[in-house]
Amino acid sequence: MTVARIPLSLLDLAPVAQGQEVAAAFAHMGQLAQLADALGYHRYWLAEHHNMPGVASAATSVLIGHLAGLTRRIRVGAGGIMLPNHSPLQVAEQFGTLASLYPGRIDLGLGRAPGTDHATVRALRRYQDQADGFPHDVQELLHYLEPVQPGQSVQAVPGGGIGDGLPVWLLGSSTFGARLAAQLGLPYAFASHFAPDQLEAALALYRSQFRPSARLASPYVVVAMNVVAADTTAQARYLFSSLQQLFVNLQRGAAGKVPAPVDDIDQVWLPHERAGVERALAISAVGDCGQVASAMAAVVQQLQPDELMITANIHDPDARLRSFELAMQAWRSLS
């Protein structure tokens, strides 16, 4: 496989940095989407999270519409919509609307987790046991996107009959989603940028059990990884410390905005916290352009994905833009 012949895509959470307001985070998100569009990234996905001060992508479908309007070529979508938080009909209507407004540019990725804590799940008026009905909800949603049948009592308007005009993906961080995606014949994206433990097992299961469908003839896998690139290795490691601190704070139950980077991360974490963070962020590339290129190539050669999706939580918006610019430069150097 020639590495750079597969698409390179971008995952965003509309991160809110310490000292920054949400409006500024959205302005930066728009700049990043336009840069990604110009640089040749294949798709720009946003992920649904709730009750997280450092993540502003809660109203995911609203932001997708906003970014699609700001860009010209790049695919824009959800990576993903956490289906237990929503009714399948509402999701079909929202994304049917988006796909009608921006034909050929909208993706719908579906996840099983609530994307939040238990108290917020209750506030969303959906409950944790809804996750047990996820396979049924996925199939119900797919039904709403198929051609409307005579006498069909409930239709997605818009959405009904949109079919291939709205690609539907399953997302996961375990073998559960891989098995379901294989059974339904849907493309599969693995959240290896924060939960890589079952990555290889999930990909093997998906590929071995895949059943062709009207939507997809053969398995299609996206692997996600963190990429923090800078002009020097030292600068990249400094920038990466913001993400490391975020994961330390999550272990401590103190989720907040994206923290400023630190010179010495060892002054922040305890040994057991370091082990947990390094395990969660194992699929990462941090360094200058050459180092990032080598790390990305190693992931692709090991896992053989059909597409690579990168993400970066960086405190400084300008450094974040520069990181994605260097990442694409590194990617193209591999062709």
Side-chain angles (χ1 to χ4, degrees):
M1 174 185 290
T2 300
V3 172
R5 287 184 181 173
I6 69 171
L8 182 66
S9 295
L10 190 158
L11 173 66
D12 192 14
L13 303 180
V16 186
Q18 288 178 351
Q20 184 185 55
E21 299 300 324
V22 168
F26 287 156
H28 170 62
M29 178 189 67
Q31 292 177 328
L32 179 58
Q34 290 174 326
L35 177 67
D37 196 23
L39 289 175
Y41 280 89
H42 184 51
R43 46 183 119 240
Y44 190 116
W45 277 5
L46 290 155
E48 176 188 349
H49 292 276
H50 300 278
N51 196 33
M52 298 185 71
V55 176
S57 53
T60 317
S61 59
V62 175
L63 294 181
I64 290 169
H66 173 61
L67 293 184
L70 289 176
T71 53
R72 295 182 301 170
R73 174 204 55 82
I74 196 168
R75 299 191 66 90
V76 188
I81 293 295
M82 301 298 106
L83 194 52
N85 299 338
H86 311 275
S87 77
L89 176 60
Q90 288 175 316
V91 175
E93 291 169 339
Q94 290 171 8
F95 279 81
T97 299
L98 288 166
S100 298
L101 287 169
Y102 304 101
R105 292 186 55 209
I106 304 298
D107 297 323
L108 171 56
L110 301 172
R112 183 170 67 116
T116 190
D117 56 85
H118 293 293
T120 308
V121 169
R122 292 193 294 272
L124 288 165
R125 302 298 191 267
R126 302 278 280 179
Y127 298 90
Q128 188 61 39
D129 59 4
Q130 286 293 126
D132 296 335
F134 179 70
H136 175 271
D137 284 352
V138 171
Q139 293 181 79
E140 181 182 345
L141 195 158
L142 292 173
H143 166 71
Y144 290 132
L145 301 178
E146 295 302 317
V148 177
Q149 300 300 309
Q152 184 173 325
S153 59
V154 179
Q155 304 176 23
V157 183
I162 204 161
D164 292 342
L166 177 62
V168 177
W169 299 65
L170 287 190
L171 316 177
S173 58
S174 70
T175 55
F176 178 94
R179 182 176 290 106
L180 182 60
Q183 290 172 351
L184 297 179
L186 296 176
Y188 180 60
F190 194 93
S192 36
H193 59 298
F194 73 90
D197 286 356
Q198 297 187 48
L199 171 59
E200 294 192 51
L203 298 192
L205 187 152
Y206 172 70
R207 287 165 170 153
S208 65
Q209 297 190 11
F210 182 84
R211 302 174 185 172
S213 71
R215 286 183 167 270
L216 190 65
S218 58
Y220 193 96
V221 166
V222 169
V223 168
M225 71 182 297
N226 302 288
V227 173
V228 175
D231 294 317
T232 68
T233 304
Q235 184 184 8
R237 290 176 178 170
Y238 174 71
L239 297 174
F240 187 58
S241 70
S242 291
L243 181 59
Q244 292 171 315
Q245 290 177 83
L246 269 177
F247 274 72
V248 170
N249 292 339
L250 286 172
Q251 289 187 41
R252 295 174 180 175
K257 294 184 177 182
V258 179
V262 294
D263 291 317
D264 186 1
I265 188 65
D266 287 332
Q267 297 300 312
V268 175
W269 55 24
L270 298 172
H272 72 279
E273 293 171 332
R274 174 178 180 171
V277 172
E278 291 183 343
R279 181 174 178 177
L281 303 181
I283 309 297
S284 298
V286 181
D288 62 21
C289 197
Q291 291 166 320
V292 163
S294 294
M296 294 166 82
V299 167
V300 171
Q301 290 164 1
Q302 176 187 352
L303 301 171
Q304 298 290 299
D306 300 286
E307 186 172 329
L308 187 67
M309 181 167 282
I310 66 172
T311 187
N313 270 329
I314 295 174
H315 180 267
D316 176 40
D318 290 336
R320 191 164 181 255
L321 293 173
R322 178 63 174 159
S323 178
F324 281 108
E325 184 178 12
L326 288 172
M328 180 56 80
Q329 182 179 326
W331 186 249
R332 286 181 173 154
S333 75
L334 299 171
S335 59

